[in-house]
Amino acid sequence: MPRESGQKVVATNRKARHDYTIEDTYEAGIVLSGTEVKSLRQGRASLVDGYAFVDGGELWLDAVHIPEYTEGTWNNHAPRRKRKLLLHKQEIVKISHKTKEGGYTLVPLSLYFKDGRAKVELAVAKGKREYDKRQALRERQDKREADRAISSRKNLGE
């Protein structure tokens, strides 16, 4: 029985949902050293420049910044090292085939603890063009204005 239960989000990559069209998501375990886990438990991490790739049948996470543990000694970890991800072989093969197609990439969406174990949510994503981003923002703004108009009509009618 794990000491912790539930889910505690450490970091999210909000920009990824703006810059990419998310096709599919996967939950992967992540291999970490002790000081990395302690630093994550303090809630310190950044997924901004992070990406994942398949190399030799293994999945790797690169350029994710986990700062050094403040109480760490000489055996502290490197902040931006490559970290191995843990997934089933069939999922790695599926991801590999998808990313070899044109235009797809692997982007980390969030880093969290689930029942005491560090997990990362990966997305197979396709990059958006500039006009797609503007269109998505416009749709979100139109929906917000419509919801405001409906709620104000309800308030006036009562």
Side-chain angles (χ1 to χ4, degrees), residues 105-121:
T105 187
L106 273 173
V107 180
L109 295 179
S110 63
L111 188 61
Y112 54 92
F113 283 101
K114 184 176 180 182
D115 295 334
R117 303 200 188 279
K119 304 280 185 183
V120 63
E121 184 182 15

Side-chain angles (χ1 to χ4, degrees), residues 27-85:
E27 179 183 65
I30 184 168
V31 177
L32 298 171
S33 68
T35 54
E36 287 174 320
V37 175
K38 290 179 179 187
S39 186
L40 284 177
R41 288 203 189 281
Q42 289 179 338
R44 301 169 59 206
S46 173
L47 299 173
V48 173
D49 297 328
Y51 65 96
F53 61 94
V54 179
D55 183 32
E58 295 179 334
L59 200 58
W60 295 90
L61 184 65
D62 201 9
V64 170
H65 187 262
I66 300 175
E68 290 185 346
Y69 183 54
T70 54
E71 282 80 38
T73 58
W74 55 271
N75 60 354
N76 231 332
H77 64 277
R80 286 193 185 267
R81 70 178 186 90
K82 279 189 350 184
R83 296 167 179 95
K84 187 174 179 180
L85 297 178

Side-chain angles (χ1 to χ4, degrees), residues 29 48 56 86 108 118 125 130 134 140 143 154 156:
V48 173
L86 306 171
E130 199 62 38
R134 283 194 297 267
R140 197 175 321 132
K143 184 181 181 321
K154 285 182 182 177
L156 290 176

